Amino acid sequence: MNCEKLSNPSMDKKKKRKHTGKKAKEECTMEKKKKNHKSKNILEILPLELIHRILLRVPIRHLARLRCVSKLWCSLISDPDFAEFHFHHSPASTNACFLIKYPTKAQFVYLDDNDASQKEMCPPFKKKPPSDFAVLGSCRGFILLYRHPHFLVVWNPLTGFSKRISYSHLSPSHKYRGIKLPYCARLLGFGYDASQDDYLLLVTWCHCDRQYHLDCLSLRTNSWINLNAALSNPFLVLDSYSCGVFLNGAIHWLSFPLTAYKDAILIFDTKERTFSMMSAPEQLVMSLCLFSGLALLGGCLALYYHNHGSCNTDIWVMKEYKVHSSWNLYQIPCKDFQPLLLSSNGDIIGRGCTSYDKVGYFIYNVREDLLYRFRNLCCPSPMSETATVYTESLLPFPSDVEDKKKEIGHQNQNDVKQGKRIRRE
């Protein structure tokens, strides 16, 4: 006998009501959770320390966009201390080769094994320069430009900050009026003094009376510092125009021409205002060293020269600063090769000319001993244009920091005055 269950319609209606009630309650709780989640502050979702770590891993060029996320992120990214920490400790630093393409155009070439691009920018001059401008160096995200007559421009291309510095009127004597940087200079250096939070321009030239002068221009105070007594005769070391390399609080120059490995590198300490000497590798064959220079590769000092005997470029990298035994040799199968920087994989990137007269940007694979050429990048002749490596940063200029502190002080004073008015009312 087949039996069938008889359904009670009133009971079914009750079950449906209970089921729909549960669904409505669940939906309400979900909506409440969503609303609470949206209303939560970002600090309640992510702790400040974690946000700080995340932003340190963001490439510097993207941080400017992230300022719009919230007031908290804007204040954090705009903080000078954060900019300083990001510049020194961020694994996502962005380097570019900066050079002058036309009299009124500057070119930035971003080089890496995964990404290579280039763009043109106009220098920060209000009017078109009547003559060519020159690059005197770069330091901590700032590029120092010279424009005739008698003034300098400090420029941060990422933030757009620029400051014009005139030096012709700084001294009552006439010895500075005849100087035309960099053409009259025998030695140039752009560095930073952390103890004074000051950027320095070191320059030497020969006056019309055939007397050499060694002076330092403070870009913060806009005043000259005489250094003639610091070094007896630096021109025996450098008898040709040389632009220094800034590393570990000091500016470095290579003697020209290289005649001996001993005391081949001149060092100027920006804090102590003193000079010292450092030796090159003993294995250098001086007769084969042509077109020599200094560079920075991965935060290490590098000495390079064109090896005339093998048609290669020899690059000596000092792995540990001022440790003579840490010099390591790399031989690049490319003549007139100028090393610029290290890629994220530790390969050497530079510009040069091969034996087949192919001029361009190259990357040398250190592990496999292979040389590749960036085909999508246009490169001028390595010997015709002066290039400097520029590291992007959000660092403010010292005077800019002081101006911001004054603005904050004025705002605090206004807030105090408004508070007193409200209390009186």
Side-chain angles (χ1 to χ4, degrees):
M1 181 177 178
N2 295 327
C3 296
E4 292 182 0
K5 287 186 179 180
L6 298 176
S7 61
N8 191 347
S10 61
M11 292 294 292
D12 293 339
K13 286 180 181 179
K14 287 180 181 179
K15 287 181 179 178
K16 286 181 180 179
R17 285 174 187 173
K18 286 181 180 179
H19 185 67
T20 53
K22 285 181 180 180
K23 277 190 175 180
K25 286 181 180 179
E26 288 177 357
E27 288 176 358
C28 288
T29 53
M30 290 291 290
E31 288 178 1
K32 286 180 180 180
K33 286 181 180 179
K34 287 180 180 179
K35 287 180 181 179
N36 292 333
H37 185 71
K38 288 181 180 179
S39 62
K40 279 185 179 180
N41 190 356
I42 193 169
L43 279 175
E44 297 176 3
I45 303 170
L46 295 175
L48 184 60
E49 185 180 353
L50 184 58
I51 296 173
H52 189 271
R53 289 183 180 181
I54 292 172
L55 292 178
L56 284 177
R57 295 184 176 274
V58 177
I60 195 73
R61 66 177 73 178
H62 301 310
L63 283 178
R65 301 176 185 175
L66 294 179
R67 290 177 178 176
C68 303
V69 172
S70 66
K71 290 182 179 179
L72 173 67
W73 284 31
C74 182
S75 62
L76 181 61
I77 296 172
S78 302
D79 185 14
D81 294 333
F82 173 81
E84 185 82 25
F85 198 82
H86 190 282
F87 180 77
H88 288 288
H89 302 286
S90 175
S93 60
T94 303
N95 298 317
C97 175
F98 175 81
L99 51 88
I100 299 168
K101 190 174 183 182
Y102 303 112
T104 58
K105 290 286 185 180
Q107 187 180 66
F108 291 85
V109 184
Y110 297 92
L111 298 166
D112 200 352
D113 48 354
N114 299 321
D115 184 21
S117 61
Q118 57 189 13
K119 66 177 180 179
E120 291 184 359
M121 292 181 67
C122 295
F125 299 132
K126 294 180 180 180
K127 298 179 180 179
K128 290 184 178 180
S131 59
D132 296 352
F133 61 93
V135 182
L136 302 186
S138 63
C139 179
R140 289 166 52 88
F142 293 98
I143 298 174
L144 185 62
L145 303 172
Y146 164 77
R147 180 181 158 186
H148 180 74
H150 305 305
F151 75 83
L152 309 168
V153 175
V154 182
W155 181 32
N156 188 330
L158 185 64
T159 62
F161 169 84
S162 64
K163 181 181 180 180
R164 172 175 165 168
I165 299 172
S166 177
Y167 62 89
S168 60
H169 66 285
L170 298 179
S171 177
S173 63
H174 297 279
K175 70 175 183 177
Y176 298 107
R177 295 183 182 178
I179 178 67
K180 294 181 181 179
L181 298 175
Y183 311 107
C184 298
R186 289 295 185 97
L187 179 148
L188 280 171
F190 182 39
Y192 175 71
D193 179 9
S195 63
Q196 301 294 327
D197 192 20
D198 192 7
Y199 291 86
L200 304 176
L201 171 65
L202 196 75
V203 59
T204 66
W205 63 83
C206 181
H207 191 43
C208 57
D209 58 359
R210 295 184 180 180
Q211 293 293 324
Y212 287 104
H213 298 277
L214 174 62
D215 292 277
C216 181
L217 177 64
S218 167
L219 301 186
R220 181 173 184 174
T221 62
N222 202 17
S223 60
W224 287 102
I225 304 169
N226 188 279
L227 297 175
N228 283 336
L231 189 64
S232 58
N233 196 350
F235 312 103
L236 294 176
V237 181
L238 298 140
D239 58 357
S240 178
Y241 166 73
S242 176
C243 190
V245 172
F246 180 71
L247 174 66
N248 291 340
I251 308 174
H252 304 73
W253 297 271
L254 184 67
S255 62
F256 180 86
L258 272 175
T259 55
Y261 74 91
K262 191 175 182 180
D263 296 338
I265 300 173
L266 176 66
I267 304 173
F268 174 72
D269 191 307
T270 57
K271 179 182 177 181
E272 303 296 334
R273 308 285 199 269
T274 56
F275 287 90
S276 60
M277 305 296 298
M278 185 166 62
S279 298
E282 298 178 7
Q283 297 86 345
L284 289 180
V285 181
M286 301 305 164
S287 60
L288 303 180
C289 297
L290 300 175
F291 308 110
S292 56
L294 293 178
L296 287 180
L297 297 179
C300 298
L301 188 67
L303 187 158
Y304 67 93
Y305 56 90
H306 173 59
N307 193 327
H308 183 68
S310 61
C311 294
N312 293 333
T313 298
D314 291 351
I315 302 176
W316 289 88
V317 180
M318 180 178 275
K319 296 292 185 178
E320 296 181 35
Y321 186 64
K322 289 189 176 181
V323 178
H324 192 265
S325 60
S326 65
W327 285 108
N328 288 340
L329 175 63
Y330 299 93
Q331 292 184 321
I332 314 295
C334 178
K335 66 176 184 179
D336 300 334
F337 184 84
Q338 180 190 6
L340 298 172
L341 49 94
L342 285 185
S343 70
S344 57
N345 291 332
D347 297 330
I348 300 175
I349 299 178
R351 59 178 187 160
C353 180
T354 63
S355 57
Y356 301 100
D357 294 331
K358 287 186 178 181
V359 179
Y361 293 97
F362 297 87
I363 178 169
Y364 175 70
N365 190 318
V366 177
R367 296 165 298 279
E368 300 179 6
D369 193 18
L370 296 174
L371 186 69
Y372 302 96
R373 181 170 175 261
F374 291 99
R375 298 184 180 275
N376 60 329
L377 298 178
C378 299
C379 178
S381 174
M383 303 304 296
S384 63
E385 301 289 345
T386 302
T388 184
V389 177
Y390 156 71
T391 302
E392 291 184 336
S393 77
L394 293 172
L395 292 171
F397 202 68
S399 59
D400 189 27
V401 174
E402 291 179 357
D403 294 338
K404 286 183 179 179
K405 288 181 180 178
K406 289 180 182 179
E407 290 179 3
I408 293 171
H410 289 308
Q411 287 180 357
N412 293 335
Q413 289 178 0
N414 293 331
D415 293 339
V416 171
K417 289 179 181 179
Q418 288 179 0
K420 288 180 179 179
R421 287 175 185 174
I422 293 170
R423 287 175 184 175
R424 288 174 183 175
E425 291 174 358

